[in-house]
Amino acid sequence: MATFETQQLYIGGRRVDATSGETFETINPVNGEVLANVQQASQADVDNAVAAAREGQKVWGAMSGMERSRILNRAVALLRERNDELANLETLDTGKPISETIAVDIVTGADSLEYFAGLAPAIEGTQIPLRETSFVYTRREPLGVIGAIGAWNYPIQIACWKSAPALAAGNAVVFKPSEVTPLSAIKLAEIFTEAGLPDGVFNVIQGAGDVGAMLTEHQDIDKVTFTGEVGTGKKVMSAAAASTLKEVTMELGGKSPLIVFDDADLDRAADAAMMANFYSSGQVCTNGTRVFVHRSVKSAFEAKIRERVARIRAGDPLDSSVNFGPLVSFEHLEKVLSYLEIGKQEGARLLAGGNRMTGSGESGFDYAKGAWAEPTVFTDCSDDMRIVREEIFGPVMAILDFDDEEEVIRRANDTHYGLAAGLFTEGLNRAHRVIHRLEAGICWINTWGDSPAEMPVGGYKQSGIGRENGLTSLEHYTQIKSIQVEMGPFPAVF
């Protein structure tokens, strides 16, 4: 029996039944139990959602920036008020520990909404003088209706990150959460309505990739924003171009380098490497999964990593003392387990983990029922190994050694990904010299992983197009209209 009632769609400011007559299950990865049956959107449902968004956008876009700001800030207050309730839902749906979701997932989503709510009144144009009798002024206008497709690792955060700049700029949104973690998007939609968002301005449609394709190819969608893996991103971009040449913003995958130089604070570097590989059970796109360690400190670094892995606390994710949960689904578990076997076959040395978690452990918790993989560290890795080159998206760290700066820069950049990068060194000049040469859109020096609302997030190379968060992202949700005003005679040549 499902934990929650059947989940509907959210169109035009209310929950509505899908017309397809089909449902899918969302599963608790902790124990394999069904959380809810979710109604699958049809093409007609997508059409209805887009039509509702088109009508709602006319109302929303006509409001002043200050009016939109007030409504968004009311949504922020509701999110913060219901933080714990929403965090509990996210933990059930994703398997992430409550210690994470209560401190990060809703908090960072609300932060982004609050940031862009403050910017909404500041969206303005320019005045350009031409001559005494003529000038040009520009307006920044909404694009219209945004199709947003979320990922399964941070469901409500990603929904907020995508909707915040879009709504601040006066657009409407049709959001499709991942079918793996679909529950919190409806809650966000209801919060927006309660805060005063006009009907139709934020809609939620449910379903798998075929529903995402309906959104991407829709003639009345003006832009698509997508978070996911590179292969799917290429399909989304191709469909967006083929349908209406609509704009895209994409935050895609990564295989990010984390570099530990010989003068680094090794405790700080080891702490960061743990966070960059095992937080959210390694299911973070910016994770530093290629850990390059200077040969002279590699043994000492490995010892510190081994100590920290031994301190990981797995167990019931609703226990606030737990800091490591299952993978998001049993399908994803099989993918991660296959890479654990590949790593062993390729000759990497196991420093920790390497298997599926079974049995009850010290806590008496039954891991065999869920999608649990051990926190795993491979060392003595080489650049050509698949576990080093391919995105695993699980709790798998690969340690590689290096000898000099030029070498590690070249090797760090030798990938078609370019989402994130970071380094640890006590040398100020080296820190800036190296970080400026790393080919990645999000970089950290002597830290890892923080992505505040003020910081643009996005990738180089095949890791993305455009940016989320930060002032610059508003440029991706508005279009410039230039208007010339002539006060003098019109010099016709006829």
Side-chain angles (χ1 to χ4, degrees), residues 60 72 79 105-106 108-117 143-178 185 188 192 197 201-204 212 215-216 221 223-229 232-233 236 247-253 285 419 451-453 455 457-459 463-470 472-478:
W60 183 242
L72 293 178
L79 280 168
D105 294 50
I106 295 85
T108 54
D111 284 348
S112 184
L113 275 173
E114 187 171 18
Y115 175 74
F116 284 104
L143 295 174
V145 177
I146 309 300
I149 302 173
W152 46 252
N153 56 338
Y154 281 85
I156 199 165
Q157 182 209 66
I158 290 173
C160 289
W161 278 20
K162 292 189 180 304
S163 60
L167 296 177
N171 301 284
V173 176
V174 180
F175 183 73
K176 191 200 86 67
S178 167
L188 177 62
F192 277 138
L197 203 71
V201 177
F202 186 84
N203 309 274
V204 177
L215 201 57
T216 302
I221 291 286
K223 173 189 172 75
V224 173
T225 172
F226 169 79
T227 297
E229 57 96 21
T232 307
V236 169
E247 293 191 31
V248 296
T249 292
M250 295 192 177
E251 199 262 274
L252 305 176
C285 50
L419 188 57
S451 297
M455 179 181 181
V457 170
S463 284
I465 296 173
R467 293 295 181 268
E468 293 188 312
N469 283 341
T472 187
S473 67
L474 283 175
E475 298 173 9
H476 302 292
Y477 289 93
T478 56

Side-chain angles (χ1 to χ4, degrees), residues 339-360:
Y339 274 103
L340 298 186
E341 292 306 310
I342 289 168
K344 297 171 188 176
Q345 294 166 11
E346 289 181 321
R349 177 167 61 90
L350 264 175
L351 196 67
N355 300 291
R356 180 174 182 172
M357 291 177 67
T358 56
S360 58

Side-chain angles (χ1 to χ4, degrees), residues 264-273 300-301 304 307-308 311 424:
D265 179 329
L266 289 188
D267 284 311
R268 187 185 187 110
D271 286 340
F301 181 82
K304 293 181 183 297
E307 292 171 5
R308 285 160 172 78
R311 297 201 298 259
F424 288 79

Side-chain angles (χ1 to χ4, degrees), residues 236-280:
V236 169
M237 187 172 182
S238 176
S243 56
T244 58
L245 207 62
K246 56 177 67 74
E247 293 191 31
V248 296
T249 292
M250 295 192 177
E251 199 262 274
L252 305 176
K255 194 70 181 177
S256 302
L258 187 160
I259 303 170
V260 181
F261 285 101
D262 54 353
D263 65 341
D265 179 329
L266 289 188
D267 284 311
R268 187 185 187 110
D271 286 340
M274 292 292 295
M275 290 292 287
N277 282 273
F278 302 123
Y279 198 75
S280 293

